Amino acid sequence: MHELGIVIQIVKQMENYMDEHDIKRIDKLVLGVGELSGVVPKYLRDVYPIAVEESKLQNTKLELEITPGIGKCQACGFTYNLVQNDNICPKCGSNEFSIITGKEFMIQRIHAE
Amino acid sequence: MDALRVIEVKKSVYANNDLEAQENRDMLKEQDTYMMNLMSSPGSGKTTMLVSTLERLKEKIGIGIIEADIDSDVDALTIQTTGVDVIQIHNGGMCHLDAAMVRQSLDDIGSSKLDFVVVENIGNLICPASYDLGQNLNCMILSVPEGDDKPLKYPKMFKKVDVLLVSKIDTTSVFDFDFNALEKNVRKLNPDIKIFPLSAKTGEGMEAWTEYLLKKIENGVHT
């Protein structure tokens, strides 16, 4: 259960953040999840209620912003969606690429009181 | 009720772990203890390789093993037969270790009196790749039966490690394993990686690996 451990870590991190910044309540937590981050959005949503139980985030809503996995072809320079194209450049067919976006897994912002 | 305000946090989810990992690293440096994070798939021969490595090093340096397993102590018992200190972490079904769990075990095993600590991570090539533990060396084992195309399937892990041990090379003739293909696949992801082909069973390659490791341990913490 990769996601549960991750969410528990996020909850701890945000509880500390609340103490440090004197925040009473977080209404909404927005996470940025890259398509290539290895984290499954559905599982994040599934385990979230369990992870926040009896924490300061118990009543905090979760929102996910998904960042697409975009790569740049090393052969022809074309920029394309890696997930939709199975990592193969639709222009020249090369499978050598560098990742531009989609690896990130971030706490983006909070709506707080 | 106060009005809600939006705060841009923009922090990596792994930031907390990275911080704790750095604390481990600082503490180990102070203790002059070298830590290796050992990762692999289940069944790669991790424990057998470790036992064989320990047999070659245990007279020379003080060693402790942190053994992670979801729910058994089979591996820990095997390692205990070498006479080296071992601690078992049961992490309750989690697929990886994090820096905080390792810190607890370092304290429990008494890392300050040891020269070398091995963290035998959970057997899996995905999740452990995301977690810095504060180690000095990331090492992974790939066994010949797993195939030479593994780097294509788990690029993140192959990118992260400093050393790749290719284990069970005594079985190469049975499996269709192409070393050149493996090396090409790995180097594409990680040009600086050290690769040691070895067999814990026959002892082939073990000397080169343990000599390299011993040198790392002797120089490592300060570099």
Side-chain angles (χ1 to χ4, degrees):
Chain A
M1 280 300 284
H2 189 55
E3 279 72 8
L4 181 57
I6 290 172
V7 181
I8 288 172
Q9 194 66 38
I10 294 172
V11 170
K12 268 198 240 161
Q13 202 172 336
M14 289 319 298
E15 284 187 323
N16 290 340
Y17 191 89
M18 289 171 82
D19 290 343
E20 283 163 22
H21 295 80
D22 203 20
I23 292 164
K24 279 179 279 176
R25 189 176 74 86
I26 299 179
D27 180 63
K28 186 161 78 177
L29 169 68
V30 183
L31 301 180
V33 186
E35 280 184 325
L36 312 173
S37 66
V39 179
V40 184
K42 180 188 181 300
Y43 294 161
L44 276 184
R45 290 196 188 95
D46 286 351
V47 299
Y48 180 77
I50 304 162
V52 294
E53 218 169 88
E54 290 179 23
S55 79
K56 290 182 185 172
L57 278 74
Q58 184 148 17
N59 298 310
T60 303
K61 296 186 276 289
L62 174 70
E63 187 180 307
L64 303 181
E65 286 181 357
I66 312 295
T67 327
I70 303 290
K72 186 175 178 179
C73 176
Q74 301 276 44
C76 75
F78 188 64
T79 303
Y80 63 100
N81 186 303
L82 293 165
V83 180
Q84 285 167 15
N85 293 286
D86 271 336
N87 297 348
I88 294 167
C89 176
K91 255 208 162 150
C92 74
S94 165
N95 63 353
E96 309 235 342
F97 57 85
S98 52
I99 294 170
I100 297 174
T101 63
K103 279 185 84 173
E104 54 279 50
F105 183 25
M106 307 273 298
I107 298 166
Q108 291 287 29
R109 72 190 73 85
I110 51 175
H111 295 235
E113 201 177 286
Chain B
M1 193 172 31
D2 294 343
L4 290 174
R5 59 201 159 104
V6 177
I7 305 171
E8 296 291 331
V9 182
K10 299 276 182 209
K11 256 192 176 175
S12 165
V13 165
Y14 304 111
N16 235 17
N17 184 70
D18 291 348
L19 222 75
E20 287 165 345
Q22 192 51 47
E23 281 172 21
N24 288 352
R25 196 167 280 125
D26 293 344
M27 181 187 85
L28 289 166
K29 188 171 182 183
E30 199 140 295
Q31 298 176 345
D32 204 10
T33 303
Y34 193 81
M35 182 163 90
M36 177 171 88
N37 180 10
L38 182 61
M39 296 164 286
S40 79
S41 314
S44 64
K46 198 163 32 166
T47 306
T48 310
M49 199 288 302
L50 197 52
V51 166
S52 177
T53 303
L54 295 176
E55 293 295 354
R56 285 170 165 81
L57 296 182
K58 68 179 184 189
E59 305 299 334
K60 297 174 183 148
I61 50 174
I63 307 175
I65 309 296
I66 297 171
E67 180 73 41
D69 227 326
I70 289 186
D71 196 23
S72 86
D73 51 8
V74 178
D75 291 345
L77 292 174
T78 308
I79 287 167
Q80 234 162 27
T81 62
T82 63
V84 164
D85 285 348
V86 54
I87 270 193
Q88 173 80 50
I89 313 182
H90 283 161
N91 67 345
M94 290 257 293
C95 53
H96 60 269
L97 292 177
D98 64 27
M101 291 184 226
V102 168
R103 174 53 181 270
Q104 179 65 47
S105 307
L106 286 170
D107 291 344
D108 290 347
I109 205 167
S111 56
S112 59
K113 64 177 195 311
L114 299 170
D115 304 304
F116 181 46
V117 174
V118 182
V119 179
E120 189 178 336
N121 215 315
I122 303 280
N124 138 21
L125 294 181
I126 306 164
C127 321
S130 298
Y131 286 83
D132 185 5
L133 306 179
Q135 70 286 323
N136 303 98
L137 191 72
N138 278 316
C139 177
M140 85 166 272
I141 303 177
L142 171 74
S143 64
V144 163
E146 291 174 73
D148 50 51
D149 57 355
K150 272 256 159 114
L152 304 175
K153 298 175 186 165
Y154 302 97
K156 199 169 177 184
M157 180 59 81
F158 284 87
K159 261 184 213 166
K160 172 190 168 109
V161 295
D162 307 299
V163 178
L164 172 66
L165 305 180
V166 183
S167 67
K168 305 188 187 178
I169 54 167
D170 50 296
T171 68
T172 308
S173 60
V174 183
F175 298 93
D176 202 9
F177 190 93
D178 181 346
F179 264 102
N180 293 332
L182 172 79
E183 187 159 359
K184 193 170 151 243
N185 290 335
V186 174
R187 295 250 180 247
K188 212 186 278 179
L189 297 165
N190 187 342
D192 300 327
I193 195 169
K194 283 290 273 182
I195 304 176
F196 292 96
L198 50 83
S199 164
K201 199 174 159 192
T202 66
E204 192 183 344
M206 286 303 296
E207 200 161 311
W209 152 239
T210 46
E211 259 173 38
Y212 166 84
L213 181 60
L214 196 59
K215 213 165 267 167
K216 276 276 182 195
I217 295 164
E218 280 164 0
N219 305 329
V221 186
H222 306 286
T223 52

